[in-house]
Amino acid sequence: MPASGRRSKNCGNCRSIKRRCDQKFPHCGQCIRAHEECQGYRDEWELVFRDQTTHTIKRSKDARAKADGLETLKRSPPSRTLSLSSDEVGVNYFLFHFVVGGLSPSRGYLDYVPAVFSADGENPTLIASMAAVGLAALANSTQQPELSQRARTKYWEAIDKVNAALSSPVESIKDSTLMSVISLGLFEHVSNFETWFQYIKGTVALVVSRGKSQFSSPASIPMFNQVRADMCAACVHRLEPFPRDMLELQEEASKQADNSSCLWLLGVLATRTVNLLSDVTVTKIKDGATLAYFLEESAILQRDFQDVLGNFRTQEPYATIEDHSGDPDLIYNSRYDLYRSAWAIRLWNNSRILQVIICEIEFHLLSKALTAGLPPARQKEIATTLEKTCRILKTLGDDILATVPQSLGAVLSPAESPTSADLSSDPSANGSASGGHLLMWCLYTVGKSPVTRGRTRKWVMKRLRDIAQKSGLPIALQFVNDIDEIDKAASILESADN
């Protein structure tokens, strides 16, 4: 993706009348003062790159097909005939899958990378980080040991550059340095959860060290959102509270962020959910008052979620498709949902994961209440509430599984075509690496849910194994092992009941 010519980053109004623009977000100050409706800014991605990835992939496929005598090639390893260096191949692969969004018309979930490029140019630390991640993802998806070794070499080069940047008072506070660290966090997914968790703690430490002044740049809020989301996932998995210093930064960031944004509101709700889960886990509930307190806290969170979901349904609606002829390994229970973008899928699934956690908290508390020797009338009331909670959990799980086909690129969004793509084909041939990365946590959430049954757990484990194999994410295999242990324990209980 070579650099395009320099183009104005001013808003549409200021460009049209050649007025000096202050480029403030979300709206230009000049437009506000003139009482004009700001037309917004150009897509920063278009200001930095023009996409040549599709052409590069086609050349690679044609060369490999000719060498092997194949008519169709499902994978796209870099051809030795390409003039691109391994660094350029790695960066292109990273940008194509994690930023542009693969074959989807939407951006990938690291869509704020262009803003960092625009501010700091082609920072060598960031380039090395993206090349390492891109080469690792490509090596794992194409099973090329030689490329994997190059990725590992580039990773250590990137680590050296990051360490050098962190030792500099000037470089350590740059957005490009934090973006480099966030990028390398993806590389840790080729290791295991424990190394990734330690890496995320280091990323949080860097964000904290940048202080309250970091939120003046356009990319700072999206990067904070990313680190906050990663830390929430890590805290949920380890049953730990959200770091207090990050909560303080969240308060500071709220002064610059769009507080009406669904993404921002979800992040705030995520930190509250993480802390409630941690409190319930460490607290020994010995009396009805403590039990009632936690149930009330979870109910408040649920109500707050419903307020946010009301905006979701208006801003990001989706269509449910019944397809009884599709591949059952890809379409669970003959249903999949179509969203307008991968971004919408991410928002919806993040909200569902958090709701599942709250419902699991309620499930735990209500189950405990049923053994507390309460009067029959109260026990009946609690049992009814527990049954309702289980239904909600089941619905949330079904909704998450219905996002799998589009997340993996096996169906097209409504913006691309009104009809579905070939659901019998290998989804990894169409989907992006970022799709598997984001789905991994969603599938894990469904697989370990207390209402998920054996058939569903086995479907989830198969999908996670495919992601581990085709996207090169061994953490997915760790999730499979966790779910498998749950499945075995459930089978023993079912056998005992029978």
Side-chain angles (χ1 to χ4, degrees):
M1 293 188 177
S4 297
R6 182 175 180 84
R7 300 170 67 188
S8 171
K9 295 188 288 183
N10 293 349
C11 76
N13 291 340
C14 292
R15 287 201 313 274
S16 65
I17 61 176
K18 295 182 172 55
R19 179 176 65 195
R20 184 178 180 85
C21 180
D22 59 17
Q23 300 178 16
K24 289 186 177 181
F25 286 83
H27 303 297
C28 162
Q30 296 277 36
C31 293
I32 293 173
R33 284 189 287 274
H35 302 290
E36 300 172 348
E37 182 179 352
C38 186
Q39 298 177 14
Y41 305 96
R42 286 171 168 166
D43 186 338
E44 292 194 63
W45 181 253
E46 296 173 359
L47 301 179
V48 181
F49 296 106
R50 61 179 184 269
D51 184 5
Q52 289 190 340
T53 305
T54 303
H55 178 62
T56 300
I57 289 177
K58 183 178 183 301
R59 289 174 59 193
S60 178
K61 287 184 175 182
D62 291 345
R64 179 68 177 269
K66 182 177 179 181
D68 295 346
L70 298 175
E71 293 183 0
T72 303
L73 184 65
K74 292 185 178 179
R75 292 173 177 164
S76 54
S79 168
R80 294 181 183 277
T81 63
L82 289 177
S83 59
L84 294 176
S85 68
S86 61
D87 281 13
E88 290 171 322
V89 170
V91 170
N92 274 352
Y93 197 87
F94 177 91
L95 295 173
F96 184 68
H97 285 278
F98 291 99
V99 181
V100 178
L103 299 181
S104 169
S106 62
R107 298 293 187 254
Y109 74 97
L110 296 181
D111 58 343
Y112 46 84
V113 170
V116 181
F117 262 97
S118 178
D120 199 17
E122 295 189 3
N123 184 284
T125 304
L126 181 55
I127 293 294
S129 301
M130 293 192 300
V133 175
L135 287 172
L138 180 58
N140 283 312
S141 64
T142 58
Q143 302 296 309
Q144 293 190 76
E146 179 184 351
L147 198 57
S148 180
Q149 182 58 44
R150 276 192 241 171
R152 178 61 62 176
T153 300
K154 179 56 63 174
Y155 171 77
W156 289 114
E157 176 188 327
I159 287 292
D160 288 341
K161 290 182 180 296
V162 166
N163 287 336
L166 293 177
S167 64
S168 165
V170 175
E171 295 293 323
S172 62
I173 61 174
K174 284 186 175 181
D175 285 348
S176 56
T177 299
L178 177 56
M179 185 65 243
S180 300
V181 174
I182 292 173
S183 300
L184 289 176
L186 295 173
F187 195 99
E188 294 302 324
H189 274 86
V190 304
S191 301
N192 57 61
F193 182 84
E194 188 57 37
T195 58
W196 176 77
F197 175 72
Q198 295 301 326
Y199 194 91
I200 293 303
K201 290 207 308 187
T203 308
V204 167
L206 174 58
V207 171
V208 172
S209 70
R210 281 158 53 94
K212 297 180 178 180
S213 62
Q214 66 184 288
F215 300 114
S216 58
S217 69
S220 60
I221 298 296
M223 287 195 294
F224 178 81
N225 286 340
Q226 181 65 52
V227 176
R228 178 177 60 177
D230 287 342
M231 192 65 209
C232 282
C235 289
V236 165
H237 198 73
R238 293 176 64 96
L239 300 176
E240 294 184 0
F242 193 78
R244 186 177 298 275
D245 44 14
M246 279 289 285
L247 286 176
E248 293 174 358
L249 277 181
Q250 177 177 266
E251 184 66 26
E252 183 66 25
S254 67
K255 300 174 184 177
Q256 303 293 333
D258 179 2
N259 288 272
S260 64
S261 161
C262 290
L263 180 62
W264 178 260
L265 293 172
L266 266 185
V268 174
L269 288 172
T271 60
R272 290 170 56 192
T273 302
V274 165
N275 284 337
L276 178 60
L277 176 63
S278 174
D279 289 345
V280 170
T281 302
V282 301
T283 302
K284 294 181 179 180
I285 303 175
K286 297 181 179 180
D287 56 79
T290 305
L291 187 65
Y293 167 77
F294 283 131
L295 282 171
E296 178 61 22
E297 287 296 303
S298 63
I300 291 172
L301 264 176
Q302 287 283 27
R303 287 196 294 270
D304 291 345
F305 264 108
Q306 294 311 309
D307 291 340
V308 175
L309 290 177
N311 294 331
F312 276 22
R313 296 184 184 98
T314 301
Q315 298 173 14
E316 297 293 349
Y318 60 88
T320 295
I321 310 297
E322 294 291 334
D323 189 337
H324 298 279
S325 62
D327 183 356
D329 285 339
L330 182 60
I331 306 177
Y332 183 74
N333 276 354
S334 303
R335 170 202 165 185
Y336 65 90
D337 294 338
L338 279 179
Y339 296 77
R340 291 192 293 194
S341 67
W343 180 253
I345 297 175
R346 183 191 180 196
L347 282 177
W348 274 103
N349 276 350
N350 282 354
S351 71
R352 287 164 182 150
I353 289 174
L354 293 172
Q355 288 179 85
V356 166
I357 294 171
I358 297 171
C359 284
E360 288 179 348
I361 291 172
E362 292 176 332
F363 182 92
H364 166 73
L365 295 173
L366 292 168
S367 298
K368 194 175 186 66
L370 285 177
T371 64
L374 298 173
R378 179 58 176 153
Q379 281 195 331
K380 184 178 180 180
E381 180 183 343
I382 291 173
T384 300
T385 305
L386 180 58
E387 184 179 346
K388 179 182 176 182
T389 300
C390 290
R391 287 198 301 269
I392 295 173
L393 275 171
K394 177 67 168 56
T395 299
L396 290 169
D398 289 344
D399 290 344
I400 289 174
L401 297 184
T403 67
V404 169
Q406 188 178 356
S407 296
L408 293 179
V411 297
L412 304 177
S413 72
E416 293 175 298
S417 169
T419 59
S420 67
D422 181 8
L423 294 177
S424 62
S425 64
D426 180 0
S428 67
N430 300 317
S432 69
S434 61
H437 182 271
L438 294 176
L439 263 184
M440 182 175 62
W441 291 94
C442 302
L443 291 170
Y444 176 66
T445 299
V446 176
K448 69 179 184 61
S449 171
V451 302
T452 299
R453 296 294 175 256
R455 170 176 168 268
T456 307
R457 281 193 295 266
K458 288 177 172 56
W459 191 92
V460 167
M461 286 190 285
K462 186 178 189 305
R463 197 74 269 148
L464 283 169
R465 288 190 187 98
D466 288 345
I467 289 174
Q469 177 185 356
K470 296 166 185 173
S471 298
L473 297 169
I475 287 183
L477 291 180
Q478 292 181 245
F479 290 165
V480 170
N481 293 336
D482 288 350
I483 297 171
D484 190 41
E485 289 298 318
I486 294 172
D487 191 55
K488 290 176 180 176
S491 298
I492 293 173
L493 287 175
E494 289 171 8
S495 299
D497 291 340
N498 294 332

